[in-house]
Amino acid sequence: MDLKLKVWRQSGPDEAGGFVAYDAKEISPDMSFLEMLDVVNERILEEGGDPIAFDHDCREGICGSCGMMIDGVPHGPKSMTTVCQLHMRSFRDGDQLTLEPWRASSFPVLKDLYVDRTPFDRIIAAGGYISVRTGSADEANAEPIRKKDADAAFDAAACIGCGACVAACPNASAMLFTSAKVAHLAHLPQGQTERYTRVLDMVETHDTEGFGNCTNHGACQNACPKGISVDYIAQLNRDLFRATVTTAADPVGS
Amino acid sequence: MRRVVNLYRSSVGKKILMALSGLILFGFIVGHMTGNLKVLQGCEPAVAGDHAAGLSVASQTCAIDTYAEFLREVGYPAVPHGAALWGFRVLLLGAIGVHASAAFQLWSRARAARTQGYGTSKDISFTYASRTMRWGGVILLLYVFYHIAHFTTGQAHSDFIAGGVYHNYVVGFQSPLILLVYLVANAALCLHLFHGLWSATQTLGANHPKYNHLRRPVATLLSLVIFVGFMTPPVLVFAGVIS
Ligand code: SF4
Ligand code: FES
């Protein structure tokens, strides 16, 4: 199949960028979207050009490195699918596609389709940890966890930190990501010690990193390749409120 | 206390203020709509047998006029005439102020969070309504100014009689243009509530796996009840059923 691409090219964080048209010719429908870009890049290299930069690592939908806007939708048209797991059979011969990086002031473009997502790392660092006894590991079954809680924690933990939620959000808010990280630990007994300080610290970091605020559009949930639900945002709001008006987040003995 | 200040400063705190002030305003809307339905009860002629057209207000007692008078007298004699009404107006004004200023702050935050927009973007929000909240809110605010000048203070009314609520109402809605204005405003209100009511449960963390699936239908139902409740009497006036 042959496609026409309109790709955002930007040589560096402080350079001006713009769209450049490329032909993607003789593409196999069995290729992944990133393999298609690899082919386009090979040809650009053959002609002595600068290949299109995009972030990727595992190419099996678990690391969260990849991601770009395809025709205005994060990770492209297929729901619950990262762009590395998206195959060219999802498109038709002759399609014209616009490829853009995530757009958020907190995610500056490093090059072309490649953005800097380190603000996510700082949100995690603000509260994504638990207090455990070091040394020999606990017996795995010593602490029973209700199936319901284990499932809720697991669903939240499925977040791969790709940033599609921010890209899709009309407010460029990272609340879905933050709520997944907060809820993941809030559902487990191991996460209780820091439960309320965690939510305060992570939301504060979310805000100081310059992400927008959630106004419940729900675009994030629809964009998320891991199906993280906005119910986790409601849960974050509840925990944040509780942390504010009760002594739950106070240090012991104060 | 420091945490409360932080919550206010945080993006979530602004949303909580948005939700709480919105709920106050929703409470008012429900009361206002129920009050308006008193128009359907019509009037009793004060002088027996006097059914002629063009009655002066004094010669008949209308259910809604009595109701409006009652609103002015709520709490009397414990509080002076009209004091409770004014207290309530101040509360509403406060709620609108909080709602609008939180909206403005959230809007400017969101603007700063994405300075460079997309070349191509597709709206994948849950509903269309959520994308109309900001402009819809501005439209509603402008409408409220007009509405007060029309039915409360009377400058925008062609034949305004102070205290003659029924008269003002019926005369007002005989014009197709005015009916249209109210139709558009109420449709905007309906859309605003449809997202706002659902959104408030989300913001206040009032969600539970058992009831989550009910939130959308309940928000839809409530916003439709408000729309139908507000629009029924004017349409009946326009159709000549109420005169
Ligand atoms: S919540 Fe979903 S869209 Fe957002 S970072 Fe995590 S996996 Fe990606
Ligand atoms: S490259 Fe790892 S998720 Fe796509």
Side-chain angles (χ1 to χ4, degrees):
Chain A
M1 54 200 287
D2 295 336
L3 299 106
K4 287 198 183 309
L5 306 180
K6 224 174 88 187
V7 184
W8 182 265
R9 300 303 310 261
Q10 182 174 339
S11 51
D14 303 319
E15 311 300 324
F19 286 106
V20 178
Y22 294 94
D23 282 319
K25 284 208 163 66
E26 291 155 45
I27 299 296
S28 155
D30 297 325
M31 283 179 183
S32 76
F33 199 85
L34 298 187
E35 283 166 339
M36 181 275 292
L37 285 179
D38 291 339
V39 170
V40 173
N41 275 345
E42 292 287 339
R43 291 183 193 149
I44 295 176
L45 279 170
E46 274 165 20
E47 286 160 17
D50 184 21
I52 302 163
F54 56 89
D55 201 357
H56 63 111
D57 188 10
C58 71
R59 296 209 176 191
E60 54 183 37
I62 54 169
C63 75
S65 297
C66 67
M68 65 188 71
M69 298 298 266
I70 304 175
D71 273 349
V73 180
H75 292 297
K78 203 152 184 280
S79 72
M80 302 269 287
T81 308
T82 55
V83 71
C84 60
Q85 292 283 292
L86 177 69
H87 286 84
M88 295 314 292
R89 52 181 169 271
S90 300
F91 300 93
R92 276 195 309 263
D93 189 35
D95 272 0
Q96 302 208 5
L97 304 175
T98 306
L99 309 187
E100 267 180 282
W102 297 160
R103 295 286 187 205
S105 312
S106 311
F107 283 168
V109 174
L110 295 176
K111 192 169 192 292
D112 302 339
L113 305 174
Y114 189 173
V115 301
D116 177 7
R117 285 174 295 136
T118 47
F120 270 13
D121 300 340
R122 288 190 287 270
I123 293 177
I124 301 247
Y129 52 82
I130 55 170
S131 296
V132 283
R133 182 174 66 93
T134 54
S136 60
D138 286 345
E139 207 283 309
N141 291 322
E143 189 144 33
I145 298 171
R146 287 190 304 173
K147 170 90 170 104
K148 193 161 84 83
D149 290 328
D151 284 352
F154 195 82
D155 287 349
C159 166
I160 53 177
C162 64
C165 43
V166 176
C169 178
N171 300 312
S173 172
M175 243 346 139
L176 192 66
F177 166 80
T178 309
S179 74
K181 300 304 168 197
V182 164
H184 161 203
L185 295 173
H187 275 289
L188 296 174
Q190 291 87 347
Q192 296 310 308
T193 314
E194 290 91 1
R195 177 168 179 180
Y196 293 101
T197 46
R198 177 183 304 119
V199 67
L200 288 170
D201 294 343
M202 286 180 109
V203 169
E204 190 182 329
T205 310
H206 168 278
D207 287 357
T208 49
E209 287 296 337
F211 291 105
N213 42 266
C214 169
T215 55
N216 304 325
H217 283 286
C220 51
Q221 179 182 311
N222 287 339
C224 177
K226 296 295 152 184
I228 305 292
S229 160
V230 294
D231 288 348
Y232 289 121
I233 300 182
Q235 200 178 325
L236 173 145
N237 293 339
R238 197 162 56 218
D239 274 11
L240 186 73
F241 194 68
R242 190 169 300 158
T244 304
V245 298
T246 70
T247 54
D250 288 350
V252 176
S254 70
Chain B
M1 197 55 217
R2 189 180 55 88
R3 283 214 191 101
V4 175
V5 173
N6 282 350
L7 179 67
Y8 167 71
R9 287 216 197 100
S10 81
S11 58
V12 179
K14 299 219 165 57
K15 281 180 17 154
I16 292 177
L17 285 177
M18 195 85 194
L20 293 177
S21 55
L23 287 177
I24 293 177
L25 294 169
F26 177 67
F28 161 73
I29 284 168
V30 171
H32 186 0
M33 184 210 77
T34 338
N36 279 13
L37 292 177
K38 294 248 177 303
V39 168
L40 298 178
Q41 288 180 3
C43 304
E44 302 267 307
V47 187
D50 189 355
H51 281 287
L55 285 179
S56 79
V57 182
S59 65
Q60 56 179 359
T61 42
C62 301
I64 193 156
D65 296 359
T66 321
Y67 174 68
E69 194 51 36
F70 155 77
L71 289 183
R72 259 173 233 119
E73 298 305 326
V74 174
Y76 182 80
V79 296
H81 291 280
L85 184 66
W86 271 105
F88 193 66
R89 283 173 175 166
V90 169
L91 173 76
L92 283 182
L93 211 61
I96 292 178
V98 168
H99 205 67
S101 66
F104 178 77
Q105 287 167 323
L106 292 175
W107 169 78
S108 53
R109 245 197 101 88
R111 248 174 74 103
R114 180 173 292 133
T115 41
Q116 161 119 41
Y118 288 108
T120 310
S121 70
K122 222 177 181 162
D123 182 7
I124 53 170
S125 303
F126 287 164
T127 64
Y128 169 72
S130 70
R131 300 301 291 259
T132 63
M133 292 306 271
R134 285 170 184 151
W135 279 112
V138 172
I139 291 174
L140 286 175
L141 192 64
L142 293 176
Y143 158 73
V144 166
F145 284 123
Y146 165 74
H147 184 49
I148 289 175
H150 189 208
F151 279 139
T152 310
T153 55
Q155 288 88 340
H157 199 287
S158 57
D159 181 18
F160 187 78
I161 301 178
V165 182
Y166 186 82
H167 165 88
N168 297 337
Y169 195 94
V170 171
V171 171
F173 285 119
Q174 274 160 359
S175 142
L177 188 66
I178 287 180
L179 186 71
L180 189 72
V181 168
Y182 278 84
L183 196 71
V184 170
N186 275 288
L189 178 65
C190 181
L191 211 61
H192 203 77
L193 289 176
F194 169 69
H195 176 73
L197 288 172
W198 177 84
S199 187
T201 63
Q202 186 70 11
T203 297
L204 298 176
N207 80 336
H208 188 281
K210 252 193 200 141
Y211 309 113
N212 276 353
H213 65 287
L214 293 175
R215 292 181 298 165
R216 203 53 97 173
V218 167
T220 313
L221 185 75
L222 287 176
S223 43
L224 282 178
V225 164
I226 295 294
F227 180 76
V228 172
F230 269 130
M231 284 319 291
T232 305
V235 166
L236 290 181
V237 168
F238 187 70
V241 181
I242 299 175
S243 57

